[in-house]
Amino acid sequence: MQKKLLLLGLLNLAFVFGGHAQKVNEQDSLTIRNIYDMALLNGKSYDWLDHLSNKIGGRLSGSLEAEMAVQYTKEELDKLGLDKVWLQPVMVPKWTRGFPEHAYIETAPGLSKQVNICALGGSVATSPLGLKAEVIEVQGLEDLKEYGREQIEGKIVFYNRPMQANLINTFEAYGGCVDQRYAGAMEAAKYGAVGIVVRSMNLRQDDLPHTGSMSYGDMPASKRIPACAISTNDADYLSRSLGLKPDLQFYFKQNCKVYPDVQSYNVIGEITGNVYPDKYMIVGGHLDSWDLGDGSHDDGAGCVQSMEVLRLFKKINYKPRHSIRVVLFMNEENGLRGGRKYAEEAKLKQEEHLFALESDAGGFTPRGFSFDTDTANFAQIESWRSLFKPYLIHYFELGGSGADIGPLKDGNVVLAGLRPDSQRYFDHHHAANDTFDAVNRRELELGGATMASLVYLFDKYGTKSSMQSVKN
């Protein structure tokens, strides 16, 4: 009899707690539905992006456009009625492209074909007359040692390893060849090269060169060589031409210049938590962009989606338990100064960060998130899968997060990155066609709502290390 009573008691408890869990889940579903409705019916992110892209344009660190973006986004955050909005000073590099670059392939005296190039960010200029030399084609940094100084000295090194097209994850394909862009000049100069040309990081065949950051390391200024990217169509043409005439000449001229560092700002807005005001969760993107396009996908989209998260919380009258911040980081593209500054200040002020989410993969249809965290927190994240299913969000994987929030990593904070569909991202990445017309309003708004939903769940349930304090 006692066993029967015990069994009945356990069943009753299971029913009570099961019913409670169901109600909690239903409440979460309703809140998330409300977030998506508000974003899709009354979204603001697309209008913000329109202004950033079409009224301001490319926002290279240290430029007038970057400072205009700082002032504009601060003003827009002020309008949201947040508890705090402020600018966080940060010193950033200043590099300018100068007059448009010019290049051609010369197969015989007087016989040449113009090709499409752009200087890599941080590169030195050529001489005022330009640079002309023979070319040696390689498939990556590892080939330099094989050819050696004897074959490389006095030549332009042409890095022609393409992104691997059969990789479904295009960021993996990008990671497989971006080292030749970043370190190509530094390494080629060690063998006496006079310049480098890098195949654009692009899966599509087109005539658009794609810029991006490069580094000389600690190389003396006198040893630095100019570096440019060439479009994929012209890279193929150059490679074919070298096959027919190995001693052809390549000419390019670029006028870029490096200046002393200048002051800029991270833009920060906060809704102060009503239970744990001294525990922080952040959402953000980087406000700077390259100068060839207007930076709509990289990363205007991430900035306006992050602003939208806090706007949505205000609109649905959600009062977060923890303090929620939006951080628009400056200088991700060519220095990561903004992300490092934010983490440095957080550490100095002994601010406890529990969760950070970054959107820096374009404004395409959201698929889910990647997380840099432990298995305990990831198990909690996986328990939320069903809440995202109605919105076709299905990708929840352990992996990277975002460059700007990476400096916050301390073994406790959960880091996450929004993962949109990436198949078209590198068609636009760092190129002149990264423009507002390439962004679909509905896809952008879905991304903002998806981010807000994840932030809501983390705010409500906390991270694994903070769950006990949340329950109390």
Side-chain angles (χ1 to χ4, degrees):
M1 184 66 177
Q2 287 181 336
K3 288 182 179 180
K4 287 183 179 180
L5 289 173
L6 179 60
L7 180 59
L8 285 171
L10 290 172
L11 287 171
N12 284 333
L13 283 172
F15 176 78
V16 170
F17 285 115
H20 175 68
Q22 186 177 7
K23 287 179 182 177
V24 169
N25 195 57
E26 287 175 358
Q27 182 57 55
D28 292 339
S29 294
L30 290 171
T31 300
I32 291 172
R33 177 73 262 181
N34 197 10
I35 287 171
Y36 274 90
D37 287 348
M38 186 63 67
L40 294 172
L41 297 173
N42 187 33
K44 183 69 174 171
S45 56
Y46 194 71
D47 296 333
W48 283 328
L49 185 61
D50 186 4
H51 186 101
L52 275 177
S53 300
N54 294 321
K55 300 295 193 299
I56 297 176
R59 303 169 297 280
L60 193 58
S61 289
S63 68
L64 173 62
E65 290 81 4
E67 298 318 298
M68 291 171 63
V70 165
Q71 294 304 318
Y72 171 69
T73 51
K74 182 183 182 298
E75 289 169 5
E76 292 302 306
L77 289 176
D78 281 330
K79 293 176 186 177
L80 298 183
L82 307 179
D83 296 306
K84 300 176 187 176
V85 178
W86 71 99
L87 301 180
Q88 184 178 69
V90 56
M91 296 300 291
V92 300
K94 181 178 176 66
W95 174 88
T96 59
R97 183 173 302 281
F99 295 115
E101 301 87 345
H102 178 65
Y104 60 81
I105 298 167
E106 184 179 88
T107 52
L111 185 60
S112 64
K113 172 181 167 52
Q114 187 170 325
V115 292
N116 298 285
I117 68 158
C118 66
L120 294 180
S123 175
V124 296
T126 61
S127 77
L129 296 177
L131 170 66
K132 182 190 281 190
E134 291 186 7
V135 177
I136 182 167
E137 179 179 348
V138 299
Q139 292 299 303
L141 301 177
E142 59 280 358
D143 285 357
L144 298 176
K145 187 176 181 180
E146 178 184 336
Y147 287 104
R149 177 174 286 271
E150 184 178 340
Q151 296 185 65
I152 294 175
E153 190 167 19
K155 294 181 180 178
I156 295 170
V157 171
F158 169 36
Y159 292 98
N160 194 33
R161 183 167 74 244
M163 291 176 67
Q164 191 174 334
N166 65 339
L167 292 175
I168 303 303
N169 181 346
T170 60
F171 282 86
E172 184 181 352
Y174 176 73
C177 59
V178 73
D179 61 338
Q180 59 192 344
R181 187 195 76 201
Y182 185 76
M186 175 171 53
E187 296 302 320
K190 295 175 183 177
Y191 293 88
V194 294
I196 69 162
V197 180
V198 182
R199 182 188 184 92
S200 287
M201 309 291 111
N202 182 11
L203 282 160
R204 187 171 69 175
Q205 291 300 131
D206 62 25
D207 296 320
L208 298 171
H210 293 230
T211 191
S213 63
M214 53 83 64
S215 173
Y216 294 108
D218 57 2
M219 181 179 293
S222 61
K223 301 291 185 182
R224 297 179 179 187
I225 60 177
C228 68
I230 188 170
S231 73
T232 49
N233 278 343
D234 288 327
D236 287 349
Y237 180 84
L238 176 57
S239 182
R240 290 194 302 269
S241 298
L242 284 167
L244 297 171
K245 187 173 177 54
D247 61 345
L248 63 76
Q249 300 269 308
F250 187 90
Y251 170 88
F252 72 107
K253 180 181 179 181
Q254 54 192 43
N255 307 278
C256 38
K257 186 175 180 180
V258 178
Y259 294 86
D261 290 354
V262 298
Q263 183 172 286
S264 189
Y265 303 90
N266 292 330
V267 184
I268 307 173
E270 177 183 304
I271 301 175
T272 303
N274 65 355
V275 179
Y276 308 105
D278 297 326
K279 295 179 185 292
Y280 300 93
M281 297 186 175
I282 72 169
V283 58
H286 64 86
L287 194 52
D288 65 304
S289 75
W290 287 108
D291 56 323
L292 296 179
D294 57 47
S296 288
H297 276 297
D298 186 21
D299 184 32
C303 289
V304 298
Q305 287 172 330
S306 299
M307 294 166 65
E308 181 76 340
V309 170
L310 271 66
R311 191 194 75 88
L312 290 171
F313 286 166
K314 296 289 288 185
K315 283 295 184 181
I316 68 171
N317 200 32
Y318 176 69
K319 295 178 169 46
R321 297 161 67 84
H322 306 83
S323 290
I324 310 293
R325 285 178 179 170
V326 56
V327 185
L328 308 181
F329 299 96
M330 185 54 69
N331 185 233
E332 186 271 349
E333 292 292 6
N334 59 339
L336 206 64
R337 302 278 187 87
R340 290 174 179 153
K341 182 65 172 181
Y342 181 84
E344 175 189 316
E345 290 291 320
K347 186 175 181 180
L348 285 173
K349 295 176 182 177
Q350 297 184 319
E351 294 177 341
E352 183 180 358
H353 283 69
L354 305 179
F355 173 66
L357 169 63
E358 182 163 7
S359 172
D360 185 18
F364 300 101
T365 303
R367 299 299 189 200
F369 306 91
S370 62
F371 297 91
D372 186 352
T373 188
D374 56 27
T375 53
N377 276 295
F378 190 63
Q380 178 181 221
I381 293 161
E382 293 237 281
S383 73
W384 299 333
R385 277 180 176 270
S386 62
L387 293 167
F388 287 95
K389 186 176 180 181
Y391 311 100
L392 305 181
I393 303 301
H394 61 273
Y395 183 88
F396 297 86
E397 299 288 339
L398 288 170
S401 54
D404 295 291
I405 61 176
L408 285 170
K409 186 172 181 176
D410 62 1
N412 294 312
V413 62
V414 176
L415 303 177
L418 179 70
R419 293 293 168 248
D421 186 291
S422 70
Q423 303 311 313
R424 289 173 289 146
Y425 181 62
F426 290 99
D427 295 353
H428 305 273
H429 183 251
H430 297 178
N433 64 340
D434 183 4
T435 49
F436 182 70
D437 62 291
V439 177
N440 176 275
R441 180 173 196 144
R442 186 172 179 84
E443 292 178 332
L444 182 74
E445 291 170 345
L446 284 168
T450 302
M451 292 166 69
S453 300
L454 184 68
V455 175
Y456 156 74
L457 290 168
F458 267 107
D459 178 60
K460 181 174 179 178
Y461 295 107
T463 59
K464 203 62 179 175
S465 59
S466 67
M467 286 188 71
Q468 188 59 44
S469 63
V470 170
K471 288 176 182 176
N472 291 337

